[in-house]
Amino acid sequence: MAGQHLQQKQLQTNASRTFPSVVLCLPVQEMSGDENPFGGKSSRPSSVGNDPSALDSEIDYSIANKRPQILAALAAAFSAFAMGATLGWSSPVQPQLQQNSTLNAVTDGNSTWFIDLDDDQISWVGSLINVGASIGAICGGYLMDRFGRVFVLMAVCVPYLTGWLLIALGVNPVMLYIGRLLGGLAAGISCAVAPCYIGEIATPNVRGTVGFFFSTNIGLGILFTSLLGLGLDWRWISGICAITPLVLFTILYPVPESPYFLVKNGDVGKASKSLQWLRGSRFNVDAELAQITARVSEDKTEQLHLTDFLRPWAYKPILIGVAVMIFQQFSGLNAALFYSVEILQVAGSKLDALVAAVVVIITLLLGNFLGAVVVSRIGRRSLFMISEATACLSMCALGAYFHILSKDRDAAGSLSWLPLTSLIVFISGIGMGLGPLPWLISSEVLPAKIRGQGSSIAALANFGLSFIVTKTFIDIQRAVTPAGAFWFYGGFCFLGILFALFLLPETKDKTSEEIGAFFATEAVERNQRE
């Protein structure tokens, strides 16, 4: 088999490197006529009446100033940069932590600052972040509904900073474990809160673009630590990363709280000022404020019960959010990144492993920037299908190459261009859609009434699946060969295409009220049919 030449040591090492597929965050056709993918007719309101969503027809968002929204979204999305730095830290520092690098500043085994981790310890350093993130994802929804989106994002600076200081000053593995756990906790909270805040403050005409900020910042954070890892000792890298939460706190300080949260907590005056800051002085916020107030009043008419999550208006958006996370994690990203260095070597590249990681992340970011440009034009659903199709073809091509390599190395030699081309196309395709869209989609489809809980469930699903996929990849490739692993993920990508084609509703240019009304109306019409 093609993977047999990889030694067990290399398998363990590569598996513990952090190339998190979480890096990679519903629009398609408009929800009109009979195009409701869940059955029934469109829920788009036909008249104003007492329907708060109908007020949207009177709001002209084209005169709203986009710059304040972009600045606020960038500030919130910087929490993802801090998260990306945390996620990407273990890959460049792993050789140093195992004393396999010339960059170590401390090599004296008798020194208090000397650290030399075995394979089991380095595995915990790489994986504990997922444990902390899962806990943070569970807590994030409650915290943001209780204390506010901006306040919670500023508060996560504390565990971020504490974690980095524990790592930078660590003298034993336990300090590293606790530091990684705290960093994961902050990352999980950020994943639940930041996309939600960005979705709430953005007008429909810019929400698609700013929705990409979160995943782009994760990639930039990983690139940041990867570049630092090319020439700095791991303690210096950790110390520099400790600056990121301080920057996050500073840029979030002047940013206003979510208007929806303020209205929900009875502070309509601050909500009006927040909207004015976000929309600009030329925009009349009265209509939008009335819309938010009507939505909050409607949400408060009935207390949220556990049984509400069994109703279509609640469980269908949550299932969509979880489903897009599943298709993201099982896209084959871990498989491609695991073999990225080998693929580059097959193509004749002599790049160092750390340099190769930088090249991969840059390719991912280029795809991300392309997706941010086109998402508001072609819609989320279409972009999701294009990304899935690109990933499917690339996975199948990589599987075919490794299958040929295992049977006839001479024949595979004439196709040495194929794995590198497939890797580049795959990474670009993931960065364009499957990476950022799940975060954007989950923040858009969740009704305001359950947005906190739904965001936590979606973020928890992402980190939980990331942990499972990372831990099981070696077992999968051993069981079905590397070629079979690539084909397995290619099959999941094909299922993702079918999911987007038949089940994923378009949210392009839709307000939160329209999207919520879509699910609510579908449920009412279903009950009437029954």
Side-chain angles (χ1 to χ4, degrees):
M1 293 186 296
Q4 286 180 338
H5 66 284
L6 294 174
Q7 298 297 322
Q8 179 67 21
K9 172 79 171 180
Q10 182 183 0
L11 287 172
Q12 294 175 345
T13 300
N14 287 344
S16 62
R17 287 183 178 173
T18 300
F19 287 113
S21 52
V22 71
V23 172
L24 311 180
C25 46
L26 277 138
V28 164
Q29 299 171 341
E30 296 295 327
M31 294 184 287
S32 59
D34 296 324
E35 295 177 355
N36 184 335
F38 298 107
K41 297 180 181 179
S42 170
S43 63
R44 188 181 181 91
S46 57
S47 60
V48 176
N50 294 323
D51 187 347
S53 67
L55 292 171
D56 295 324
S57 61
E58 301 176 357
I59 301 177
D60 181 12
Y61 287 108
S62 63
I63 62 175
N65 193 343
K66 297 180 181 179
R67 181 177 297 178
Q69 301 176 61
I70 292 174
L71 291 176
L74 284 173
F78 192 79
S79 63
F81 184 95
M83 170 185 168
T86 304
L87 291 170
W89 174 85
S90 62
S91 180
V93 307
Q94 177 187 322
Q96 299 186 43
L97 291 174
Q98 295 190 295
Q99 296 297 320
N100 292 326
S101 172
T102 59
L103 297 176
N104 288 77
V106 179
T107 57
D108 183 4
N110 296 320
S111 173
T112 303
W113 303 103
F114 181 80
I115 293 286
D116 185 9
L117 305 183
D118 58 32
D119 289 340
D120 183 62
Q121 291 171 326
I122 201 68
S123 177
W124 278 110
V125 168
S127 60
L128 273 175
I129 186 173
N130 287 305
V131 177
S134 298
I135 298 172
I138 295 173
C139 301
Y142 168 78
L143 292 174
M144 73 177 184
D145 283 343
R146 179 69 176 83
F147 301 105
R149 283 66 164 146
V150 174
F151 178 84
V152 172
L153 287 176
M154 294 175 70
V156 299
C157 296
V158 175
Y160 267 138
L161 180 61
T162 305
W164 282 124
L165 291 178
L166 281 172
I167 293 173
L169 302 175
V171 295
N172 55 59
V174 174
M175 294 183 70
L176 301 186
Y177 296 161
I178 297 175
R180 294 292 284 169
L181 198 64
L182 288 174
L185 177 70
I189 295 173
S190 299
C191 278
V193 178
C196 175
Y197 174 77
I198 293 172
E200 287 182 343
I201 66 168
T203 54
N205 57 331
V206 301
R207 195 176 61 230
T209 299
V210 298
F212 269 62
F213 289 175
F214 187 78
S215 61
T216 300
N217 271 273
I218 297 177
L220 288 172
I222 294 176
L223 178 62
F224 176 68
T225 50
S226 297
L227 291 173
L228 292 178
L230 295 178
L232 291 179
D233 174 72
W234 66 272
R235 292 187 188 274
W236 276 105
I237 296 174
S238 305
I240 293 174
C241 287
I243 299 174
T244 57
L246 301 178
V247 175
L248 175 62
F249 186 92
T250 302
I251 62 178
L252 278 174
Y253 187 79
V255 172
E257 183 54 80
S258 162
Y260 175 83
F261 172 81
L262 293 171
V263 172
K264 186 177 179 180
N265 284 269
D267 203 336
V268 179
K270 281 189 177 181
S272 177
K273 293 180 181 178
S274 174
L275 274 176
Q276 202 68 69
W277 190 97
L278 292 166
R279 305 291 184 256
S281 57
R282 295 174 52 201
F283 187 82
N284 189 337
V285 301
D286 292 342
E288 187 174 3
L289 185 62
Q291 169 209 96
I292 296 174
T293 303
R295 177 168 29 124
V296 170
S297 298
E298 182 181 351
D299 291 342
K300 286 184 176 180
T301 55
E302 295 183 7
Q303 188 72 24
L304 182 64
H305 300 286
L306 188 61
T307 54
D308 287 336
F309 289 93
L310 301 178
R311 301 180 183 276
W313 66 266
Y315 75 74
K316 284 187 176 180
I318 291 176
L319 287 179
I320 287 175
V322 172
V324 292
M325 296 299 182
I326 291 174
F327 287 114
Q328 179 199 73
Q329 293 299 321
F330 282 92
S331 64
L333 179 63
N334 282 332
L337 294 177
F338 183 90
Y339 277 98
S340 60
V341 174
E342 183 180 355
I343 289 172
L344 291 170
Q345 291 173 348
V346 168
S349 173
K350 303 299 183 182
L351 288 178
D352 177 77
L354 293 179
V355 177
V358 171
V359 172
V360 169
I361 295 300
I362 291 176
T363 304
L364 190 71
L365 286 171
L366 291 176
N368 209 259
F369 287 128
L370 176 61
V373 171
V374 303
V375 66
S376 295
R377 299 181 183 180
I378 68 175
R380 283 67 153 166
R381 183 178 162 210
S382 296
L383 185 58
F384 191 90
M385 285 192 290
I386 292 172
S387 181
E388 284 280 24
T390 303
C392 180
L393 293 174
S394 301
M395 284 288 101
C396 290
L398 282 170
Y401 174 81
F402 276 91
H403 177 71
I404 296 173
L405 183 63
S406 66
K407 301 296 183 181
D408 188 347
R409 288 188 172 273
D410 293 333
S414 62
L415 297 173
S416 59
W417 56 271
L418 181 60
L420 179 59
T421 302
S422 299
L423 178 65
I424 293 174
V425 173
F426 174 80
I427 296 297
S428 300
I430 291 292
M432 180 175 61
L434 273 174
L437 281 178
W439 299 108
L440 173 60
I441 291 171
S442 62
S443 68
E444 287 183 326
V445 299
L446 291 170
K449 192 173 183 178
I450 60 167
R451 187 165 291 148
Q453 299 89 336
S455 297
S456 290
I457 292 172
L460 176 62
N462 187 285
F463 282 107
L465 289 167
S466 176
F467 180 80
I468 292 172
V469 170
T470 302
K471 285 296 186 182
T472 60
F473 171 68
I474 293 179
D475 295 328
I476 291 176
Q477 69 91 24
R478 283 174 179 166
V480 297
T481 75
F486 286 121
W487 287 334
F488 170 79
Y489 293 120
F492 252 96
C493 291
F494 181 74
L495 292 178
I497 297 174
L498 298 179
F499 166 78
L501 187 61
F502 295 108
L503 295 176
L504 188 61
E506 178 58 76
T507 56
K508 176 177 175 291
D509 295 332
K510 298 290 184 181
T511 64
S512 298
E513 286 67 35
E514 289 175 309
I515 296 171
F518 164 69
F519 290 107
T521 303
E522 190 275 341
V524 172
E525 293 180 348
R526 179 182 178 183
N527 291 334
Q528 290 175 345
R529 291 196 301 270
E530 294 176 350

Coordinates of all heavy atoms in Angstrom, one line a residue, residues 359-397:
V359 N 2.4 27.3 2.8 CA 1.9 27.3 1.5 C 0.4 26.9 1.4 O -0.4 27.5 0.8 CB 2.8 26.4 0.5 CG1 2.1 26.3 -0.8 CG2 4.2 27.0 0.4
V360 N 0.1 25.8 2.2 CA -1.2 25.3 2.2 C -2.2 26.3 2.8 O -3.3 26.5 2.3 CB -1.3 24.0 3.1 CG1 -2.7 23.6 3.3 CG2 -0.6 22.8 2.3
I361 N -1.8 27.0 3.9 CA -2.7 27.9 4.5 C -2.9 29.1 3.6 O -4.0 29.7 3.5 CB -2.1 28.4 5.9 CG1 -2.1 27.2 6.9 CG2 -2.9 29.5 6.5 CD1 -3.4 26.6 7.1
I362 N -1.8 29.6 2.9 CA -2.0 30.7 2.0 C -3.0 30.3 0.9 O -3.8 31.1 0.5 CB -0.6 31.1 1.4 CG1 0.2 31.8 2.5 CG2 -0.8 32.1 0.2 CD1 1.6 32.1 2.1
T363 N -2.9 29.1 0.4 CA -3.8 28.6 -0.7 C -5.2 28.7 -0.1 O -6.2 29.1 -0.8 CB -3.4 27.2 -1.1 OG1 -2.1 27.2 -1.6 CG2 -4.4 26.8 -2.2
L364 N -5.4 28.2 1.1 CA -6.7 28.2 1.7 C -7.3 29.6 1.8 O -8.5 29.9 1.6 CB -6.6 27.6 3.1 CG -7.9 27.3 3.9 CD1 -8.6 26.1 3.3 CD2 -7.5 27.0 5.4
L365 N -6.4 30.6 2.2 CA -6.9 32.0 2.4 C -7.2 32.6 1.0 O -8.2 33.4 0.9 CB -5.8 32.8 3.1 CG -5.6 32.5 4.6 CD1 -4.4 33.2 5.1 CD2 -6.9 33.0 5.3
L366 N -6.5 32.3 0.0 CA -6.8 32.8 -1.3 C -8.2 32.3 -1.8 O -9.0 33.1 -2.3 CB -5.8 32.3 -2.4 CG -4.4 32.9 -2.2 CD1 -3.4 32.3 -3.2 CD2 -4.5 34.5 -2.4
G367 N -8.5 31.0 -1.5 CA -9.9 30.6 -1.8 C -10.9 31.3 -0.9 O -12.0 31.6 -1.4
N368 N -10.6 31.6 0.3 CA -11.4 32.3 1.2 C -11.8 33.6 0.7 O -13.0 34.1 0.7 CB -10.8 32.3 2.6 CG -11.8 32.4 3.7 OD1 -12.1 33.4 4.3 ND2 -12.3 31.2 4.1
F369 N -10.8 34.4 0.3 CA -11.0 35.7 -0.3 C -11.9 35.7 -1.5 O -12.8 36.5 -1.7 CB -9.7 36.4 -0.6 CG -8.9 36.8 0.6 CD1 -7.6 36.4 0.8 CD2 -9.5 37.6 1.6 CE1 -6.8 36.8 1.9 CE2 -8.8 37.9 2.7 CZ -7.4 37.6 2.9
L370 N -11.7 34.7 -2.4 CA -12.5 34.5 -3.6 C -14.0 34.2 -3.2 O -14.9 34.8 -3.8 CB -12.0 33.4 -4.4 CG -12.8 33.0 -5.7 CD1 -12.8 34.2 -6.6 CD2 -12.2 31.8 -6.4
G371 N -14.2 33.4 -2.2 CA -15.5 33.1 -1.7 C -16.2 34.3 -1.2 O -17.4 34.6 -1.4
A372 N -15.5 35.2 -0.4 CA -16.1 36.4 0.1 C -16.5 37.3 -1.0 O -17.5 38.1 -0.8 CB -15.0 37.1 1.0
V373 N -15.8 37.3 -2.1 CA -16.2 38.2 -3.2 C -17.5 37.7 -3.9 O -18.3 38.5 -4.3 CB -15.0 38.3 -4.2 CG1 -15.5 39.0 -5.5 CG2 -13.8 39.0 -3.6
V374 N -17.6 36.4 -4.1 CA -18.7 35.9 -4.9 C -19.9 35.5 -4.1 O -21.0 35.3 -4.7 CB -18.2 34.7 -5.8 CG1 -17.0 35.1 -6.6 CG2 -17.9 33.5 -4.9
V375 N -19.8 35.3 -2.8 CA -20.9 34.8 -2.0 C -22.2 35.7 -2.1 O -23.3 35.2 -2.1 CB -20.5 34.6 -0.6 CG1 -20.2 35.9 0.1 CG2 -21.6 33.8 0.2
S376 N -22.0 37.0 -2.2 CA -23.2 37.9 -2.2 C -23.7 38.0 -3.6 O -24.8 38.6 -3.8 CB -22.8 39.3 -1.8 OG -22.4 39.3 -0.4
R377 N -23.1 37.4 -4.6 CA -23.5 37.4 -6.0 C -24.2 36.1 -6.4 O -25.3 36.2 -7.0 CB -22.4 37.7 -6.9 CG -21.7 39.1 -6.6 CD -20.5 39.3 -7.6 NE -19.8 40.6 -7.3 CZ -18.8 41.0 -8.0 NH1 -18.3 40.3 -9.0 NH2 -18.2 42.2 -7.7
I378 N -23.6 35.0 -6.1 CA -24.2 33.7 -6.5 C -25.0 33.0 -5.4 O -25.7 32.1 -5.7 CB -23.1 32.8 -7.0 CG1 -22.2 32.3 -5.9 CG2 -22.3 33.5 -8.2 CD1 -21.2 31.3 -6.4
G379 N -24.9 33.5 -4.2 CA -25.6 32.9 -3.1 C -24.9 31.8 -2.3 O -23.9 31.2 -2.8
R380 N -25.3 31.5 -1.1 CA -24.7 30.5 -0.3 C -24.8 29.1 -0.8 O -23.9 28.3 -0.9 CB -25.2 30.6 1.1 CG -24.8 31.7 2.0 CD -25.3 33.0 1.5 NE -25.4 34.0 2.6 CZ -25.6 35.3 2.3 NH1 -25.6 35.7 1.1 NH2 -25.7 36.2 3.3
R381 N -26.0 28.8 -1.2 CA -26.3 27.4 -1.6 C -25.5 27.0 -2.9 O -24.9 26.0 -3.0 CB -27.8 27.2 -1.9 CG -28.2 25.9 -2.3 CD -29.8 25.9 -2.4 NE -30.2 24.7 -3.2 CZ -31.3 24.7 -3.9 NH1 -32.0 25.8 -4.0 NH2 -31.7 23.6 -4.6
S382 N -25.5 27.9 -3.9 CA -24.7 27.6 -5.1 C -23.2 27.5 -4.8 O -22.6 26.6 -5.3 CB -24.9 28.8 -6.1 OG -26.3 28.8 -6.5
L383 N -22.7 28.4 -3.9 CA -21.3 28.3 -3.6 C -21.0 27.1 -2.8 O -19.9 26.5 -3.0 CB -20.9 29.6 -2.8 CG -19.5 29.7 -2.4 CD1 -18.6 29.8 -3.7 CD2 -19.2 31.0 -1.6
F384 N -21.9 26.7 -1.9 CA -21.8 25.4 -1.2 C -21.6 24.2 -2.1 O -20.8 23.4 -2.0 CB -22.9 25.2 -0.2 CG -22.7 24.1 0.8 CD1 -22.1 24.4 2.0 CD2 -23.1 22.8 0.5 CE1 -21.9 23.4 3.0 CE2 -22.9 21.8 1.5 CZ -22.4 22.1 2.7
M385 N -22.5 24.2 -3.1 CA -22.5 23.1 -4.1 C -21.2 23.1 -4.9 O -20.6 22.0 -5.2 CB -23.7 23.1 -5.0 CG -25.0 22.7 -4.3 SD -26.4 22.4 -5.4 CE -26.7 24.1 -5.9
I386 N -20.8 24.3 -5.3 CA -19.5 24.4 -6.1 C -18.4 23.9 -5.3 O -17.5 23.2 -5.8 CB -19.3 25.8 -6.6 CG1 -20.4 26.2 -7.6 CG2 -17.9 26.0 -7.2 CD1 -20.4 27.7 -8.0
S387 N -18.3 24.3 -4.0 CA -17.2 23.9 -3.2 C -17.2 22.4 -2.9 O -16.2 21.7 -3.0 CB -17.3 24.6 -1.8 OG -16.3 24.3 -1.0
E388 N -18.4 21.8 -2.7 CA -18.5 20.4 -2.5 C -18.1 19.6 -3.8 O -17.4 18.6 -3.7 CB -20.0 20.0 -2.1 CG -20.4 20.3 -0.7 CD -19.9 19.3 0.3 OE1 -18.9 18.6 0.0 OE2 -20.4 19.2 1.4
A389 N -18.5 20.1 -4.9 CA -18.2 19.4 -6.2 C -16.7 19.5 -6.4 O -16.1 18.5 -6.9 CB -18.9 20.1 -7.3
T390 N -16.1 20.6 -6.1 CA -14.6 20.8 -6.3 C -13.9 19.8 -5.3 O -12.9 19.1 -5.7 CB -14.2 22.2 -5.9 OG1 -14.9 23.1 -6.8 CG2 -12.7 22.4 -6.2
A391 N -14.3 19.7 -4.1 CA -13.7 18.8 -3.1 C -13.9 17.4 -3.5 O -13.0 16.6 -3.4 CB -14.3 19.1 -1.7
C392 N -15.1 17.0 -4.0 CA -15.4 15.7 -4.4 C -14.5 15.2 -5.6 O -13.9 14.1 -5.5 CB -16.9 15.6 -4.9 SG -17.4 13.9 -5.4
L393 N -14.3 16.0 -6.6 CA -13.5 15.7 -7.7 C -12.0 15.6 -7.3 O -11.3 14.7 -7.7 CB -13.6 16.7 -8.8 CG -15.0 16.7 -9.5 CD1 -15.1 17.9 -10.5 CD2 -15.3 15.4 -10.2
S394 N -11.6 16.5 -6.4 CA -10.2 16.5 -6.0 C -9.9 15.2 -5.1 O -8.9 14.6 -5.3 CB -9.9 17.7 -5.2 OG -10.1 18.9 -5.9
M395 N -10.8 14.9 -4.2 CA -10.7 13.7 -3.4 C -10.6 12.4 -4.3 O -9.8 11.5 -4.0 CB -11.8 13.6 -2.4 CG -11.7 14.5 -1.2 SD -10.4 14.1 0.0 CE -9.1 15.3 -0.5
C396 N -11.5 12.4 -5.3 CA -11.5 11.2 -6.1 C -10.2 11.1 -6.9 O -9.6 10.0 -7.1 CB -12.7 11.3 -7.1 SG -14.3 11.0 -6.3
A397 N -9.7 12.2 -7.4 CA -8.4 12.3 -8.2 C -7.2 11.8 -7.3 O -6.4 11.0 -7.7 CB -8.2 13.6 -8.7

